[in-house]
Every structure is written in C-alpha cells, then in structure tokens.
Amino acid sequence: MQQASLSLPPLIPLPTMASSCLNNSLVWFRKGLRIHDNPALEHAIKGSKHLYPVFVLDPHYLEPDPTAFSPGSSLSGLNRIHFFLECLVDLDSSLKKLASKLLLFKGEPVDVLIRLLKEWDVKKLCFEFDTDPYYQSLDRRIKDYASSAGIEVFSPVSHTLFNPADIIKKNAGKPPLTYQSFLKLAGKPSPPLASTVSLLPPVGSTGDLEILGVPTIEQLGYGDISQEEFTPFKGGESEALKRLKESLKDKEWIANFEKPKGDPSAFLKPATTVLSPYLKFGCLSSRYFYQCLQDVYKSVKKHTSPPVSLNGQLLWRDFYYTVAYGTPNFDQMKDNRICKQIPWNDEDDLLVAWREARTGYPWIDAIMVQLRKWGWMHHLARHSVACFLTRGDLVYDLYIRRVFSFPSFVSVRSCLWYLISLIRSLKFVHWEKGRDVFDRLLIDSDWANNNGNWLWLSCSSFFYQYNRVYSPISFGKKYDPNGDYIRHFLPVLKDMPKQYIYEPWTAPISIQTKANCIVGRDYPKPVVDHDVVMKDCKRKMGEAYELNRRMDGLVREEDLKGLRRKFEEDQHQSLTVRTQKQKLIG
C-alpha cells in the first residue's frame, strides 16, 4: 500500500529588522493548541522582539465539583480535563523545542490578560477566533481594553475551514439551514496554511509574576476522586499528527470512507480516525487535515464525495459552526427559532438509568459505559443512544414497570392511584438533558457540533423523519452478532450465549444461571418495551409536529402545556385499560 506523506508549509524565518523597531507580542492560546498552521502565532512573530505564549487556566472549567454525577468540574468530566492537560504538556514541549515555553497562569482570563498586557508592555495581542458564546463574551471585553490601550489585536479564523460570518453574510444575514445550501454558499475551501515555525522570538522578562507548570490531576484537587480508567486516547498535537499520519497511510480506506457506514462496535481498532478530540482542542488544524485529504484524493482513481466522505465530515463541522454562530439560543429549545417546540420531559428517572447504563438494553448500556470510560464512541453509537433517549424509547417512566411487577395481593385500585400520582412524568426525555451528559463526558465535546447533533437526532432541527428509529436490539446485532462489544464493556454479560446477548431477559433462567447473570438481579430488566413505546413516541412526535405546523413555528409555552395535558390524559386512559386487563388476568 502506497503511503501518503505529511507535507507542512515552508518554514518562516525570524524577523531581521532593527531591534529598535521591534515590540513585545502576546499569543493567547485557548483552543488552537498547536504549532502547525497557527496564523495567530505566525502573526505574533512578525516584528516582535519578545513573544509571550500564554495560556490561562480558567477555574470556570477546572475546579472540582463534588456534586456532579461523574468525577470532574461542573462543566467537564475528568477524562476531558486529563486529555486537555496532556495537550498543554505537549504544547509546552513543542514551544521549548523552538526556544520558547508556555507561560501558564490561573484565574479569570480577561483579568489575567489585562494584567499581563500592562506588565509586559505588550503592543500586539494575537489569538484564534472562537465562535463559542463564552469566548465571544471574553473576546469583546479584551478587545475593548486593547482598543483603549492602543494594542493591536489580531484574531484570525483558523479553527474552521470557513469564516462563519462570511457564509451568513452571503445568505442575507441568516445561516443556511441545510448542508447542501451551506456547500453552495461556501464553495470549496482553499485557505492558505500558516507557515511552519522553526524558531520563536525569546520570552521577555516576566517580572515578579508567578508562572505555573502544567498541573497534574492531583494538583487540581482531584487526588481523592476515583476514576476507573482514563481515555486510551492521548492528548496533544504530536499525537494528533501521529494519528493523522497513520490514517493517511491507507489511501484506499481514505478514498472509500463513507458515513454513515462503519462498524460502531469496533473498539480495539475504531472504524474511524478518532481525530475529533484533536480537532476540538485545535491540536490538529482542520484546514491542514482537509489539505491532506485533498492530496490523497488527487492520487487515487476514485473516491467518495461530500456529505459521506471524510472531507465531507469536516464540512459538516463547519456547517454546524456556521448555524450555531448565526442562531441565538442555539443550545436550547426555548427561543431557538430553528428548533421544533416539543413537550419534552425534565424528570430524571429515565435519564439517570440511561446515563448510568442501567436501561436493560445491552447495546445501549455498553455504549454508555464506553462513553464514561473512554470519553468517546463511534458516531453511529452516539446516534443509537441519543435516539433511544429522546424519541425512540424512553417515553414511559420506570415506575410503570414497577407497578406492573407489584405482587398480586396489591389491589388494582392502589396501582391506579399510584399511576395517577406519577402521570406527570410520562413524557419524552429532553434532548438538552442528553446533550449535557455528552457535553460532560465526551473528550471531543464541541459546543456547536454537540448541540447540532442533538438537535438533529432528536428530530428538533435539520432532520425531521421521526419515524426512523434505531432499534436497541437489531442495530448493534447486525454489526456484532457475537456481542463482543457488549461483553467487553458489560463483563456481567460476558458468558451470555450470543443468541441472548442483545436480549438477555429472554434467556431461560437456566441459561441465565449458567451465565452467572440473573436479569433483574445482576443486570437490569429493560426499563421499557421497545416495540410498545416506539409506537407511542412516534405518535407523540407526530402530534408535536402538527402543533408546530399549525402554529407556524410560533409555539407558546401554554400550547406546549396543552399538548402535555393531552399526552397525560391519553396515558391515563391507556394505563387504566392496562390495569383493568391486569385485574381480569389476576
């Protein structure tokens, strides 16, 4: 197999102008944790006597939160924090090879930056443009200060292939809401890559300021927090380029890559590049990745094309970034003009069962275990669990199963009163709840992509074929009939015969005993009956869609409350009938 080579842009020499003309520059790393294709770093070098490479550790993201459902801060699980710290260690190592180093501080980013700009007499501030609302608010504040202080600010777009603002401007001020319309507006990306850096200007005097080393997990305060294992994927630019090189070796695989094809159950060697975490932190330039793919495509006779090709996946990323940047409240249902208004459920019982891998469906639970342990899973696995949570299965509450497993001596009247008291929790599980779990646990969690994918998979935006539902049984089985994926991530089921591995509750008790896994004791019973609840979910989605159509998208909270009441009345009637049937049977 012919190998593809990695060719970086030409080296950029240090400026040679008279030292009296040179000034101090500061490059502020946030994402973009790399040396290759870094326009902010390239610009910071020009005309600079001293260069200060700075990263500010934001307590907002790093301080331990003992109340969170998994080890980590209030906003991030420990896996992503660990991966991120490895990215900083690698960046510092790369800077040292260029006669520089990473200057690390901790605190509120804007306050720290303003102090540094004053202390070091900085005349030029460079940082990569970021579309996330949090960074947008920080950038406005630091730009206001820099303007008043006469400091040049250079903030190039290099985290994406295109400038989202340019696409929106071409579309009369609105983001394109389909992939094809985005491609038509965007055209083919051809961003010039920043030159490769061979040497950096020296770091100037840092005064009396305390400069930190990259902290360990223990130094951040996580020393007494248990984490079963950390993600097998190592953070940093060096690892990103290594993984990219390995992927590019197989030109045939690159040329024939076709999403959504691929095996979601492959875990020893994932059926994709696993470059998303490196793109998320900017350890790998999406522009450089795209260029490498184009080089491969030019060298083969035929290849797949967007939207299913690998370069098509990078374009999907830009599509979500553009829509997210141009849509107020993109990360929520309320006041989000592109989001269907649906009476989702805010209760936590089913959410917790899903999050904690206790749904009783091995395919779903194994994926959720991989998410917690690795901080990553295949995109089709993500699709499976997101659909299961929102519109595919989790419409009935756990308590229903409890009621219908009551002993026969409990009266039907008692059961009915119990059901009535719980009726308000019998709704869909909100996509925002699932989004929050992914946002916490994924090492590649990306604000635009994560929200965009949950909007898509919940049929709230972009994709509206709510009748297409992933089966929690047959979907995984067609890729992995022996259940090796399930056996690895759910060892309690490792001895279950393959004919029962996806539906262990159907195994005779003798088989369960032999497999050392009694369903209901060692592994949960299914929280719902897929065939039953799938039909109910589709019906409710249809009614919600009809409400949105009738109101021309202008659905008010009282309209949603009215639909919730209807769902509850329908559910009440259905449960009453089921209870009466139980009485007759009993």
Side-chain angles (χ1 to χ4, degrees), residues 14 22-30 35 38 40-56 91-92 95-96 98-105 112-128 151-152 154 199-211:
L14 282 170
L22 302 179
N23 293 308
N24 293 337
S25 297
L26 188 152
V27 59
W28 178 22
F29 287 97
R30 296 103 63 89
I35 303 300
N38 192 327
L41 181 61
E42 179 187 48
H43 189 78
I45 294 171
K46 297 175 182 176
S48 296
K49 180 180 180 180
H50 296 119
L51 176 67
Y52 296 91
V54 169
F55 191 96
V56 182
L91 178 62
D92 183 43
L95 288 169
K96 287 176 179 175
L98 300 172
S100 185
K101 62 180 178 179
L102 186 63
L103 306 176
L104 204 66
F105 298 88
V112 172
L113 257 293
I114 290 175
R115 183 182 177 188
L116 298 181
L117 294 173
K118 292 177 179 178
E119 183 83 13
W120 296 337
D121 191 26
V122 171
K123 299 301 181 184
K124 183 165 57 176
L125 171 64
C126 303
F127 54 89
E128 184 178 65
I151 298 171
E152 175 194 348
F154 181 68
L199 192 65
L200 293 174
V203 175
S205 171
T206 56
D208 297 328
L209 297 174
E210 181 186 6
I211 299 172

Side-chain angles (χ1 to χ4, degrees), residues 271-336:
T272 185
T273 63
V274 195
L275 287 171
S276 54
Y278 305 95
L279 291 167
K280 179 264 187 304
F281 283 104
C283 302
L284 174 64
S285 160
S286 63
R287 307 171 347 149
Y288 179 54
F289 187 11
Y290 186 89
Q291 182 194 71
C292 290
L293 292 174
Q294 295 305 110
D295 291 342
V296 171
Y297 295 151
K298 290 174 184 176
S299 68
V300 296
K301 290 183 178 180
K302 63 177 183 178
H303 59 84
T304 53
S305 300
V308 299
S309 58
L310 268 177
N311 64 346
Q313 302 316 298
L314 289 175
L315 292 166
W316 270 111
R317 178 175 179 267
D318 264 64
F319 167 62
Y320 277 145
Y321 265 82
T322 301
V323 181
Y325 183 64
T327 304
N329 304 308
F330 182 70
D331 60 343
Q332 62 187 50
M333 180 182 79
K334 187 177 180 182
D335 299 324
N336 181 348

